[in-house]
Amino acid sequence: MEHPDWLWRTPEPRRSYDVIIVGAGGHGLATAYYLARNHGITNVAVLEKGWLAGGNMARNTTIIRSNYLWDESAAIYEHALKLWEGLQEDLEYDFLFSQRGVLNLAHTLQDVREGTRRVNANRLNGIDGEWLTPDEVAKVCPIVDVSPDVRYPVLGGTWQPRAGIAKHDYVAWAFARKADRYGVDLIQGCEVTGFITDGDRVTGVRTNRGPIHAGRIGLAAAGHTSVLASTLGIRLPLQSHPLQALVSELLEPVHPTVVMSNHVHVYVSQAHKGELVMGAGIDSYNSYGQRGSVHVIEQQMAAALELFPIFANAHLIRTWGGIVDVTPDASPIIGRTPVENLFVNCGWGTGGFKATPGVGWVFAHTLAHGEPHALNEPFTLERFTTGALIDEHGAAAVAH
Amino acid sequence: MLLISCPWCGEREETEFHYGGQAFVAYPADPESLSDEEWAQYVFFRDNPKGAFAERWVHSAGCRRWFNTVRDTVTNEFQS
Amino acid sequence: MRLPEGGEIDRTKPLTFTLDGVEYSGFEGDTLASAMIANGVLQVAPSLYRHRPRGIFSAGIEEPNALVQVGPEPSLQATTVRLTDGLVARTLSGVGRLTPDSGQRRYDKRYTHTDVLVIGAGPAGRMAATTAAAGGARVMLVGLSYPSGNVRFRGSPQGIPPADGAAELRVLSGARAFGYYDSNYVLVAHQQTLWHVRARRVILATGAHEQPIVFENNDRPGIMLAGAVRKYITNYAVLPGRKAVVFTTNDSAYATVAALVQSGAEVTVVDSRPNPPDLAPQGVEVISGLITNTDGPERLTAVSTQDRRIECDLLAVSGGWQPAVHLFSQSRGTLRWNGQAFVPDTPAQANHVVGAANGTFDTRAALIEATEAGVEAAAAVGYPVPPPPLPAVREREITPASPVWLVPGDPRNQFVDLQRDATVADIRRAVGAGMRSPEHVKRYTTIGTGTDQGRTSNVPALGVIAAELGVTPGDLGTTTFRAPSVPVSFALMAGRDRGKLHDPIRTTPIHSWHVAHGAEFENVGHWKRPWFYPKPGEDMETAVLRECRAARTGVAMQDASTLGKIEVVGADAGEFLNRMYTNGFKKLPVGSARYGMMCKADGMVFDDGVTMRLADDRYYVTTTTGGAANVLDWFEEWSQTEWPELDVRFTSVTEQWSTIAVVGPQSRAVIGLVAPDLDVSNEAFPFMTFRETTLVNGIPARIARISFSGELAYEVNVSGWYGLAAWNAIHDEGKPYDITPYGTETMHVLRAEKGFPIVGQDTDGTVTPHDLGMSWIVSRQKDFVGKRSLRRPDTARPDRKHLVGLLPVDPAELLPEGAQMVASDAPLTPPVPMEGHVTSSYRSAVLERTFALALIKNGRHRIGETLLAPLGDRVIAATVTEPVFYDKEGARRDG
């Protein structure tokens, strides 16, 4: 594929903007794009302390799916998936979106119950999904070991055909390019160190490149959101943890789809160029170090070989860690904060990439109108007080 | 793989421990007297600093004792 | 071509090998690459995207071109594959092939501690290791770059003793340290063993990698790194070309010039420096200038300088040396640009970098650094040594290098990353599109992402980007180095944790009986539990109906040993349990048992089970099978971190006790026979009490009247040692009553008929005791963990999802577990509002129909309503009922 000749400018920050988005990851860039496209708001800056899309956007395993259990989650992820389906045309960028389907495997009777429950809920929500028997699993992905004599035999799985993968970097560049074209300033190397306030509302940010004023400010800084919010005394129910992933060398096509297993803990796909892309489990401890402990990778390799014996001779060529911000119910927080004109989009944990266009859409709406879109209305900070959680821990799927 | 110093057993590998999150979050003396907001703070809200963090570990595969420590969440170095 | 003498190969041991279907020969001590060159095979498979001819480029782990598939293993570097007899290899165009692994090699892991770990077995590494070990410190020396065999001390400067002799010096030769983690934790790949090394000090002597130079058509077969050419000549006695040009920016390539001349090659030197040093042997022409282009049909036949064309079949290139800082960078040490290369700056862990890895290329200076590091490490670990005398090494005068980042030419054929086939044109395109960060350019061009880990492309790429932007590479900074620094196989990382050893299997002492009697098993946590016991010709449904019928009408028995069991002991044990459970245990009389439920702080059901009071200060708590470890963790956390003043201790006794449930109207008769000393009458032994007794075969037992089925039932607890004997005794005494063993499925059906929920099946972390219709178990008098959460606005809603029963309108139709229920008037076009889902669903022998449990919105207030389960091709209608289907008045539990 060919990249466009022009991507983005390297502008100097202006003194003030209508909207500032903190964090030029996928979510921040998509928000900037939809602010311009859907709401005509183009006097916007996206501030990034490093290089754009260099955080979790550059570190995730690029899985896209919408087969979540709860209505609230299903609605926002399905909205995102529908956007994904037209996004390459919309952004005029071939970011290698491939609807190769996602299999979520079941290994225990309880897995089977949960998978069935989720497929039924998905279908009633208008989301494609079906239950596959072990033989059908093997037809979809012949390299999965579905034999009964492994430690945790495959008892079946859920299958979402419209799910798939995309090339994460290109997605970010595609949003950045269009946002830049609308006049949005993408400012890299600009670290937000605090906020400028007037009474109980924010009016701007302090940065390593001077103060910048704004009418509304949206935080989309993933694992760093707590640190930013804490400068205003806002406490968020987030914990930042390392999440590791890895790739193999380039290999001839062997894996046609995306396979996820909660019980054996594997999620793996094969990227377009040929490398196997695999995610590991979350490291238990809080960290901003962008690296995790190697035993997590070793466990991941063992789990992968349980399901895919053919991977034994593949090579690990690179591992890396991102920082995921995890909420108590494994669902995000998108909306208002106790401080006027300050809005957050955080707590995506391990699931942020797939939601990218959907988040951009609703967070742009939230920033444009000062109140949430119907789709992010349930994802409030208040739910932790009322108890109206959206508890995806209860769902069968690994939240990646 | 962190090297964690158990106050009872000495330095041991991370795989022998479980993480317990923020330290010094006491169970409220009288939960019933708390507002919903105050109770939610106790149940769901924890500090998430970038830097020194007072946290808890339990030596699950050793003496099974809980202990507090301070670790830098950027370098992962233990400071106590 | 093989030279007539020299090298470290064993010419008495010829080996044959096959490459791309052609048979060749080499010698013991060859790498696949050196043996290829000996046979005149320099060319490898064409490049990945451009399909350009490529050749062996290096002699080590930096090799970008010569990728081969050896048997089932893809993407190996021919330069690091040790030649073995009968080896079969295929050259690869950058893409490997996975095949089902027929060999199933076994991989293993070792864990070790050492005082000092030295990585790199060159002169500096060996010097550091022997110095550090001299005072008695435990030292481990890991040879980085040797493909196999022992660490060789070839050409070692005089005065360095061989390492192998020192008592505390362990040498892992042919090993590769590839991952450097927190607290000096280093992973080393050594053949089929993965070493985990925890070191108090680490000395990195990982050397440096020679860098290529970017010029037009710099990718032809016949173009090699200068150091590699020298290594092939001196180590393997192979000459890659007879008519050579050496293109260099620095002094180091003159050693290659000398080796080439000595081997009889004709040599011309092109030196980028205006005044090249006088280092070439007599008669070798040295030109000050640059190579601008190369020529050849496939293999190199000529090179061009600015003003000359030189015929040749080998071009040896040296663009300077980049210290191998991968591991240092992984350890979070920072790097600094010194004008020529990135060198280690500030360490972040207890380590030293010495020699070429530190940018110190002079041998004498490197040995001094190594000695100092060894002395310091020895002192730091408590085994000090006096500084040893320095070996006599000649100091050399060095003419400063003159780095060349880019020679003018056609950017489309100026290769920056040979493996990824990326050129200067690709970099220009990225920079031209607006990219400024090297991370972006790297991702745009894929430079540095190959199996060679960018060893010959990262620095040249930074040089080109810097030139484009008018800055220095130091201004750009380097990209992050991440483990592994050399590729390692998935199988090595997985080690033994595969197949049967992937996860532990727990079985009860009675397991062998279940196997012998044809049980089908279910995985529950780590346990293998009997699921049902089909008789010949029976399917699951028939077997389960039979087992259920036996329990309801006769007597049946189940191995319940997997239930979690915890002894809670201490003066405050009762008080502690009161704070954990939603209901009270402090006043439970000794000799009695009580069912209890626990919540997490969020008020959601966490675990349940029956607790017996053995003595004033002693309780015997049972948990769910899957929840046992979590409950013990939970108890310990609260007692240690919140209420250390309470006198209470916990002991897991899950494995110490075997538990056998004896269930059914005839169970009293069977227990009477099994426990002859026991008065089993209802008056003497009432429900929810227990008795200590001795079984008919002499086994001491604790028998409780506990029922998870609503039937008259007993639980016989014996020491795990006697589990099988007790089981056999009950089975024998039960024979006259046709006692029937049953599994988890029957247990589930029986409890569901009584509306007893299973935590984890009928709950999912969003369900409170009230939601389950069990408000009776929630104490109003005392606090317990999670109680306050039950008052939150959403949690206190009266219309939450409730556990209710569902009776399919057609009594033969079975609702699938996981079916979503919708209102009978709901339009069936998505999104369809869902009322809840089926958590448990069975065919009941005693009800002679199907039934289900479900969590339904406002369910307790919808009894009698008909809901629909749309299942794609069909819809099942069911009526909402109370969750208790059988013996609502509880008449059966006393027999």
Side-chain angles (χ1 to χ4, degrees):
Chain A
M1 61 143 296
E2 276 288 281
H3 293 289
D5 287 328
W6 176 250
L7 291 170
W8 54 73
R9 299 165 294 130
T10 303
E12 283 300 311
R14 299 205 292 269
R15 295 169 65 94
S16 95
Y17 292 90
D18 292 342
V19 176
I20 282 177
I21 297 161
V22 182
H27 289 193
L29 293 168
T31 303
Y33 168 68
Y34 287 116
L35 267 175
R37 178 188 180 274
N38 293 359
H39 307 281
I41 299 171
T42 57
N43 183 24
V44 173
V46 186
L47 309 183
E48 171 55 51
K49 73 183 168 101
W51 39 286
L52 68 83
N56 292 341
M57 192 63 177
R59 294 157 198 274
N60 70 83
T61 48
T62 81
I63 297 171
I64 295 167
R65 61 184 179 89
S66 65
N67 55 351
Y68 279 68
L69 173 66
W70 301 107
D71 295 350
E72 298 88 343
S73 312
I76 197 165
Y77 285 109
E78 177 62 13
H79 179 62
L81 181 50
K82 289 213 170 81
L83 289 172
W84 279 114
E85 287 175 322
L87 202 59
Q88 295 191 115
E89 292 72 33
D90 189 25
L91 298 178
E92 299 178 286
Y93 204 125
D94 174 11
F95 52 68
L96 305 174
F97 179 56
S98 162
Q99 290 180 288
R100 57 183 63 188
V102 168
L103 263 175
N104 292 80
L105 299 179
H107 301 269
T108 66
L109 297 176
Q110 187 55 26
D111 281 355
V112 173
R113 286 181 204 108
E114 286 167 358
T116 313
R117 176 186 180 191
R118 190 162 43 77
V119 161
N120 283 317
N122 290 159
R123 292 163 73 125
L124 291 168
N125 271 322
I127 295 169
D128 58 321
E130 51 192 294
W131 176 259
L132 302 187
T133 64
D135 286 346
E136 291 166 334
V137 166
K139 274 194 196 107
V140 169
C141 189
I143 56 173
V144 175
D145 185 353
V146 295
S147 64
D149 31 299
V150 296
R151 179 68 182 87
Y152 295 108
V154 173
L155 302 182
T158 71
W159 170 239
Q160 185 181 22
R162 285 164 63 237
I165 56 173
K167 178 70 183 170
H168 49 3
D169 291 328
Y170 303 173
V171 172
W173 301 346
F175 276 118
R177 171 169 165 269
K178 281 290 184 182
D180 176 86
R181 188 157 298 177
Y182 274 118
V184 171
D185 282 353
L186 308 177
I187 302 169
Q188 304 180 65
C190 183
E191 181 168 13
V192 172
T193 55
F195 296 89
I196 305 165
T197 54
D198 178 5
D200 54 3
R201 62 196 180 100
V202 290
T203 60
V205 294
R206 294 178 215 287
T207 79
N208 60 340
R209 292 163 73 172
I212 310 175
H213 292 270
R216 287 192 178 126
I217 297 169
L219 301 184
H224 292 89
T225 307
S226 311
V227 176
L228 287 169
S230 69
T231 65
L232 284 171
I234 301 173
R235 222 168 166 226
L236 296 169
L238 298 176
Q239 298 284 283
S240 296
H241 291 272
L243 176 66
Q244 301 181 78
L246 57 100
V247 290
S248 75
E249 78 267 48
L250 305 189
L251 296 162
E252 291 175 15
V254 61
H255 181 21
T257 180
V258 181
V259 171
M260 309 175 71
S261 163
N262 205 9
H263 195 85
V264 181
H265 208 289
V266 173
Y267 47 107
V268 60
S269 65
Q270 186 170 20
H272 294 77
K273 286 208 304 285
E275 64 268 43
L276 299 170
V277 182
M278 204 178 286
I282 289 186
D283 279 73
S284 66
Y285 48 82
N286 291 31
S287 179
Y288 290 87
Q290 288 195 330
R291 65 188 190 288
S293 294
V294 69
H295 68 269
V296 176
I297 299 285
E298 295 180 78
Q299 287 162 0
Q300 182 55 38
M301 296 281 82
L305 298 194
E306 272 300 282
L307 283 181
F308 300 95
I310 197 173
F311 290 170
N313 289 305
H315 295 94
L316 179 65
I317 72 162
R318 199 159 49 256
T319 63
W320 63 89
I323 309 165
V324 295
D325 44 330
V326 181
T327 62
D329 62 356
S331 287
I333 302 164
I334 321 164
R336 296 193 190 88
T337 68
V339 176
E340 202 180 327
N341 294 338
L342 182 72
F343 300 83
V344 289
N345 164 55
C346 60
W348 285 93
T350 57
F353 175 74
K354 68 181 69 69
T356 301
V359 174
W361 189 281
V362 303
F363 200 40
H365 177 103
T366 306
L367 286 165
H369 296 277
E371 55 186 44
H373 185 279
L375 287 173
N376 63 314
E377 194 131 38
F379 295 93
T380 61
L381 190 51
E382 289 73 35
R383 71 180 189 269
F384 298 100
T385 298
T386 64
L389 303 188
I390 304 156
D391 200 341
E392 287 295 338
H393 287 313
V398 194
H400 298 297
Chain B
M1 173 94 81
L2 306 181
L3 184 65
I4 301 172
S5 185
C6 169
W8 313 99
C9 309
E11 290 186 334
R12 294 289 189 275
E13 303 294 342
E14 178 192 337
T15 46
E16 295 185 14
F17 296 82
H18 278 106
Y19 188 59
Q22 185 181 356
F24 308 113
V25 181
Y27 185 68
D30 182 10
E32 292 303 313
S33 70
L34 299 187
S35 67
D36 288 332
E37 288 75 16
E38 289 165 336
W39 176 250
Q41 285 288 324
Y42 166 72
V43 176
F44 292 124
F45 290 71
R46 295 292 180 270
D47 292 345
N48 191 26
K50 190 175 180 177
F53 187 41
E55 63 187 13
R56 310 182 307 162
W57 291 87
V58 56
H59 193 187
S60 311
C63 63
R64 295 193 67 83
R65 298 285 288 265
W66 283 81
F67 58 93
N68 296 329
T69 182
V70 176
R71 184 178 53 94
D72 186 304
T73 60
V74 179
T75 65
N76 287 342
E77 279 165 14
F78 289 91
Q79 298 169 350
S80 65
Chain C
M1 184 198 94
R2 184 80 69 183
L3 295 167
E5 54 189 32
E8 295 171 1
I9 45 167
D10 186 346
R11 290 175 200 253
T12 66
K13 290 184 184 154
L15 309 170
T16 59
F17 67 101
T18 307
L19 180 74
D20 291 332
V22 182
E23 199 172 289
Y24 301 99
S25 67
F27 290 118
E28 178 76 41
D30 263 325
T31 62
L32 176 57
S34 69
M36 286 166 65
I37 296 171
N39 287 279
V41 181
L42 216 92
Q43 194 160 338
V44 296
S47 71
L48 176 59
Y49 298 120
R50 303 271 299 271
H51 311 294
R52 288 172 63 101
R54 290 283 163 82
I56 296 168
F57 187 69
S58 76
I61 57 172
E62 65 271 48
E63 177 60 35
N65 286 338
L67 297 186
V68 291
Q69 178 115 13
V70 179
E73 201 168 357
S75 321
L76 301 177
Q77 293 162 310
T79 52
T80 65
V81 171
R82 178 185 162 203
L83 193 69
T84 52
D85 202 38
L87 181 131
V88 178
R90 183 167 66 84
T91 57
L92 298 175
S93 289
V95 179
R97 179 184 297 166
L98 292 179
T99 50
D101 187 359
S102 48
Q104 282 288 346
R105 271 182 289 181
R106 176 181 280 185
Y107 292 85
D108 236 323
K109 293 183 185 176
R110 291 188 65 171
Y111 296 81
T112 192
H113 290 74
T114 187
D115 290 326
V116 182
L117 171 66
V118 181
I119 302 172
R126 294 197 304 271
M127 186 72 181
T130 49
T131 304
R138 288 178 304 158
V139 176
M140 197 166 167
L141 174 64
V142 172
L144 181 71
S145 57
Y146 294 92
S148 64
N150 295 321
V151 173
R152 287 167 288 187
F153 289 88
R154 168 194 55 79
S156 68
Q158 273 189 329
I160 300 182
D164 305 81
E168 292 289 328
L169 179 57
R170 194 158 27 153
V171 179
L172 271 193
S173 55
R176 296 169 177 183
F178 64 86
Y180 194 144
Y181 302 90
D182 288 328
S183 305
N184 274 349
Y185 197 65
V186 177
L187 258 56
V188 179
H190 183 234
Q191 294 158 9
Q192 276 151 240
T193 302
L194 177 61
W195 286 73
H196 297 65
V197 184
R198 181 76 79 178
R200 295 169 69 193
R201 311 290 286 194
V202 172
I203 297 175
L204 293 161
T206 45
H209 295 295
E210 195 165 35
Q211 297 300 299
I213 301 172
V214 180
F215 50 88
E216 192 171 340
N217 292 312
N218 59 341
D219 66 328
R220 275 184 211 289
I223 301 176
M224 298 174 78
L225 292 170
V229 170
R230 189 175 81 240
K231 188 170 174 185
Y232 282 122
I233 294 170
T234 42
N235 287 21
Y236 306 103
V238 293
L239 185 61
R242 294 180 165 281
K243 198 165 156 45
V245 173
V246 177
F247 178 24
T248 187
T249 63
N250 64 86
D251 287 0
S252 71
Y254 286 88
T256 303
V257 175
L260 281 164
V261 169
Q262 231 170 31
S263 311
E266 193 181 313
V267 185
T268 309
V269 178
V270 178
D271 193 314
S272 68
R273 293 169 289 189
N275 299 301
D278 183 20
L279 293 170
Q282 205 69 37
V284 171
E285 186 187 7
V286 179
I287 303 164
S288 169
L290 302 171
I291 301 285
T292 57
N293 207 337
T294 70
D295 202 358
E298 287 201 336
R299 182 166 176 172
L300 180 77
T301 54
V303 299
S304 308
T305 69
Q306 290 101 324
D307 49 15
R308 274 177 63 176
R309 181 182 160 87
I310 307 167
E311 307 282 319
C312 61
D313 62 356
L314 176 69
L315 174 60
V317 177
S318 179
W321 294 78
Q322 168 57 48
V325 292
H326 290 71
L327 291 174
F328 178 74
S329 175
Q330 280 183 34
S331 80
R332 292 184 292 109
T334 57
L335 303 177
R336 162 176 70 80
W337 177 252
N338 72 357
Q340 313 241 340
F342 288 97
V343 296
D345 192 9
T346 311
Q349 299 197 36
N351 61 31
H352 287 89
V353 191
V354 299
N358 199 32
T360 305
F361 296 109
D362 175 67
T363 308
R364 184 180 159 80
L367 292 176
I368 291 172
E369 273 182 13
T371 308
E372 288 170 355
V375 168
E376 194 179 330
V381 300
Y383 297 93
V385 290
L390 273 185
V393 180
R394 184 167 55 87
E395 242 174 303
R396 281 184 297 130
E397 201 173 303
I398 294 179
T399 307
S402 170
V404 175
W405 300 122
L406 181 60
V407 180
D410 180 350
R412 289 169 302 174
N413 292 327
Q414 294 177 319
F415 286 86
V416 178
D417 188 326
L418 293 167
Q419 189 174 126
R420 293 301 200 191
D421 240 357
T423 64
V424 171
D426 296 323
I427 292 179
R428 287 214 173 123
R429 201 171 147 73
V431 173
M435 289 177 156
R436 295 294 174 268
S437 162
E439 293 282 1
H440 283 145
V441 177
K442 175 179 156 183
R443 285 160 179 273
Y444 187 97
T445 61
T446 74
I447 288 172
T449 61
T451 53
D452 54 350
Q453 311 287 10
R455 283 187 168 81
T456 58
S457 59
N458 278 336
V459 175
L462 288 169
V464 174
I465 298 167
E468 287 297 309
L469 298 175
V471 298
T472 72
D475 297 327
L476 295 172
T478 177
T479 57
T480 316
F481 293 92
R482 298 189 176 93
S485 60
V486 290
V488 288
S489 74
F490 283 20
L492 180 75
M493 295 298 285
R496 291 278 198 100
D497 296 342
R498 297 173 60 183
K500 293 267 183 279
L501 298 181
H502 177 61
D503 217 16
I505 296 174
R506 294 175 82 183
T507 56
T508 76
I510 310 168
H511 187 73
S512 58
W513 193 95
H514 307 318
V515 173
H517 290 77
E520 293 285 336
F521 289 90
E522 177 190 1
N523 283 314
V524 184
H526 285 146
W527 292 99
K528 293 279 182 193
R529 296 199 72 179
W531 190 13
F532 56 96
Y533 298 80
K535 289 194 167 173
E538 276 187 343
D539 60 8
M540 176 173 171
E541 188 181 315
T542 318
V544 170
L545 287 172
R546 172 179 51 76
E547 292 172 13
C548 287
R549 211 171 290 119
R552 291 281 182 222
T553 61
V555 60
M557 63 192 291
Q558 186 194 17
D559 179 1
S561 305
T562 63
L563 281 181
K565 308 171 199 79
I566 302 168
E567 281 212 13
V568 180
V569 181
D572 297 317
E575 171 63 24
F576 178 82
L577 293 177
N578 261 17
R579 297 183 190 185
M580 290 284 99
Y581 282 92
T582 62
N583 50 335
F585 283 87
K586 215 171 165 176
K587 295 175 189 158
L588 179 69
V590 173
S592 284
R594 180 173 292 163
Y595 171 79
M597 182 167 271
M598 261 183 286
C599 295
K600 282 278 170 110
D602 63 3
M604 303 302 151
V605 173
F606 162 50
D607 205 84
D608 68 344
V610 170
T611 290
M612 302 182 211
R613 190 164 198 172
L614 307 180
D616 276 344
D617 64 347
R618 185 171 294 257
Y619 292 79
Y620 175 90
V621 169
T622 63
T623 74
T624 60
T625 294
N630 294 334
V631 172
L632 182 65
D633 289 348
W634 186 240
F635 284 176
E636 289 180 334
E637 177 179 349
W638 284 91
S639 83
Q640 289 182 37
T641 67
E642 292 295 341
W643 304 311
E645 70 280 7
L646 294 186
D647 173 21
V648 60
R649 298 170 298 285
F650 313 94
T651 309
S652 166
V653 293
T654 302
E655 314 268 355
Q656 280 67 28
W657 290 92
S658 280
T659 303
I660 300 159
V662 183
V663 177
Q666 310 276 22
S667 60
R668 180 169 284 134
V670 174
I671 292 296
L673 293 171
V674 171
D677 299 343
L678 198 61
D679 180 350
V680 293
S681 68
N682 193 46
E683 298 68 35
F685 188 3
F687 184 59
M688 290 309 252
T689 63
F690 63 90
R691 300 287 179 264
E692 308 279 351
T693 185
T694 303
L695 301 189
V696 63
N697 53 356
I699 296 172
R702 177 184 299 148
I703 301 179
R705 270 200 58 200
I706 296 167
S707 177
F708 195 38
S709 58
E711 294 299 324
L712 175 68
Y714 298 82
E715 273 186 15
V716 180
N717 295 276
V718 299
S719 161
W721 295 108
Y722 304 132
L724 184 55
W727 177 273
N728 280 327
I730 296 167
H731 193 251
D732 286 348
E733 301 297 341
K735 264 183 191 150
Y737 301 90
D738 195 19
I739 193 164
T740 302
Y742 69 94
T744 51
E745 187 66 16
T746 291
M747 172 187 79
H748 285 181
V749 178
L750 298 174
R751 63 86 205 181
E753 287 168 346
K754 289 290 292 177
F756 298 148
I758 296 225
V759 174
Q761 175 169 344
D762 301 296
T763 70
D764 62 3
T766 69
V767 178
T768 70
H770 297 303
D771 298 341
L772 292 174
M774 296 173 70
S775 300
W776 56 268
I777 207 169
V778 180
S779 169
R780 299 201 195 149
Q781 273 78 46
K782 64 177 183 80
D783 187 33
F784 58 85
V785 172
K787 184 177 190 182
R788 175 63 185 82
S789 283
L790 300 175
R791 272 210 290 124
R792 296 174 302 174
D794 189 76
T795 321
R797 272 192 297 120
D799 59 348
R800 287 172 60 87
K801 286 184 184 169
H802 302 145
L803 186 73
V804 293
L806 287 177
L807 286 174
V809 171
D810 174 352
E813 200 142 33
L814 185 71
L815 280 163
E817 288 172 349
Q820 295 283 346
M821 305 306 294
V822 306
S824 56
D825 57 353
L828 288 183
T829 45
V832 186
M834 285 168 256
E835 305 302 320
H837 77 284
V838 175
T839 58
S840 302
S841 179
Y842 310 98
R843 290 183 196 281
S844 167
V846 70
L847 303 174
E848 297 181 320
R849 58 160 301 141
T850 58
F851 73 105
L853 295 173
L855 284 166
I856 300 293
K857 285 177 184 165
N858 199 28
R860 281 198 292 276
H861 308 117
R862 298 169 78 170
I863 305 295
E865 186 178 332
T866 299
L867 297 175
L868 306 178
L871 298 164
D873 51 346
R874 66 201 165 111
V875 174
I876 300 178
T879 309
V880 180
T881 68
E882 299 285 348
V884 185
F885 297 91
Y886 182 65
D887 184 32
K888 287 192 171 79
E889 46 296 324
R892 305 186 60 82
R893 72 161 206 225
D894 293 331

